[in-house]
Amino acid sequence: MAKTMISVKDVSLKFKIDSNRANSLKEFCVRWLKKDLHSQEFWALQNISFDVKKGDVIGIIGRNGAGKSTLLKVISGIMKPTTGSVEVNGNIVPMLELGSGFDFEMTGKENIYLNGAILGYTKEFIDEKYNEILEFSELGEFIQAPLRTYSSGMIMRLAFSIACIVKPEILIVDEILAVGDANFQEKSRKRMLELMSGGTTVFFVSHDIAQINKMCNKVVWLERGKMQTVGKTKDVIKEYQSFLGIASEN
């Protein structure tokens, strides 16, 4: 029986939204004294539960605002749930908000070592993998330029190259394959398929249902922060497309 890599149990996440935010410290103090500060509660996630086995490729689908990216951040440990828990058995490489772990004054090469260290890899390991990372990223001589000169696509290509070369046990991807030209997208897709066939567990958010259909064996469908269903890809996509009023291709 396959090992359980991630167990999400009754996860809910609440945000507080100020309905009449003060524009200055003085205004805040005056409103606080008058008890005129109001906030609204917003549940971004509500009672989400599912287990993920080793080698599963989980697609997360839903309309804008459904809570897909928020769920990935909770699983990655970037955000803490208000209630519930996430149990993780393995090292996670989250490709979310790419570039957040980079120093934009440093070169691409320096950021490879910086990002590798953040992910817990030794200098010797990165030395060994450096040429492979550079070749995959297709950055060429730009690897010696500071990241502030990079386009957003170049930054994401570098981040993807680092994350995929180190062969994580759990890879979390948020629309990454939509970045770059068609050739790089196809190369990235093939690389992810290699990781999947090698046992890497993958969480994958995409608005491209055809891409989810090709790459995922299971799907979690979220709607307004609530899980509608989880199950086999074709079954969940068929139900989702019916909900949206889209004719299924299957």
Side-chain angles (χ1 to χ4, degrees), residues 5 13 17 25 47 61 80 91 94 98 117 121 125 129 136 146 148 154 157 160 162 167 172 175 179 214 228 237 246:
M5 299 299 288
L13 180 65
I17 303 172
L25 179 60
N47 304 317
I61 61 174
K80 186 177 180 180
N91 70 305
L98 290 179
Y121 297 102
F125 181 82
K129 295 292 184 179
F136 192 94
R148 57 182 163 75
M154 291 167 71
R157 276 159 49 191
F160 185 90
I162 297 168
K167 297 181 180 178
I172 297 185
E175 295 283 5
V179 176
K214 285 181 182 178
Q228 297 299 299
I237 285 179
I246 300 172

Side-chain angles (χ1 to χ4, degrees), residues 4-5 8 22-24 26 29 35 50 66 69 76 108 111 119 129 168 175 182 186 210 242 247:
T4 298
M5 299 299 288
V8 178
N23 295 317
S24 66
K26 180 180 178 181
C29 293
K35 297 182 179 181
F50 59 88
S69 296
S76 301
N111 272 285
L119 294 173
K129 295 292 184 179
E175 295 283 5
E186 179 59 21
S242 176

Side-chain angles (χ1 to χ4, degrees), residues 30-166:
V30 170
R31 286 189 176 183
W32 183 78
L33 290 169
K34 291 182 177 180
K35 297 182 179 181
D36 188 33
L37 289 171
H38 305 288
S39 63
Q40 295 178 330
E41 292 183 350
F42 169 67
W43 288 93
L45 299 172
Q46 295 185 63
N47 304 317
I48 308 294
S49 296
F50 59 88
D51 290 336
V52 178
K53 302 294 184 182
K54 180 177 174 61
D56 275 346
V57 182
I58 308 294
I60 302 180
I61 61 174
R63 295 182 294 179
N64 288 338
K68 303 184 296 297
S69 296
T70 302
L71 178 59
L72 293 189
K73 289 175 183 176
V74 170
I75 293 170
S76 301
I78 295 171
M79 301 180 79
K80 186 177 180 180
T82 306
T83 61
S85 64
V86 177
E87 184 180 331
V88 178
N89 299 303
N91 70 305
I92 292 183
V93 172
M95 289 196 285
L96 310 171
E97 300 176 355
L98 290 179
S100 59
F102 287 151
D103 185 325
F104 280 68
E105 294 304 315
M106 296 170 68
T107 66
K109 181 175 182 178
E110 290 168 334
N111 272 285
I112 289 175
Y113 284 89
L114 173 64
N115 203 241
I118 290 171
L119 294 173
Y121 297 102
T122 64
K123 180 180 181 299
E124 291 73 22
F125 181 82
I126 300 299
D127 283 341
E128 181 184 335
K129 295 292 184 179
Y130 175 77
N131 288 334
E132 197 175 343
I133 293 169
L134 176 57
E135 182 180 353
F136 192 94
S137 70
E138 301 176 0
L139 289 172
E141 62 186 19
F142 287 103
I143 202 68
Q144 300 295 345
L147 251 66
R148 57 182 163 75
T149 66
Y150 283 28
S151 67
S152 59
M154 291 167 71
I155 292 168
M156 290 187 178
R157 276 159 49 191
L158 182 61
F160 185 90
S161 301
I162 297 168
C164 287
I165 291 300
V166 297

Side-chain angles (χ1 to χ4, degrees), residues 172-209:
I172 297 185
V173 184
D174 191 352
E175 295 283 5
I176 182 68
L177 298 185
V179 176
D181 60 26
N183 289 335
F184 192 82
Q185 285 183 38
E186 179 59 21
K187 187 168 75 168
S188 299
R189 188 185 73 84
K190 287 180 179 178
R191 179 60 182 156
M192 284 192 65
L193 289 173
E194 288 174 14
L195 290 172
M196 294 168 196
S197 64
T200 295
T201 302
V202 180
F203 279 88
F204 183 50
V205 164
S206 177
H207 288 94
D208 187 339
I209 295 299

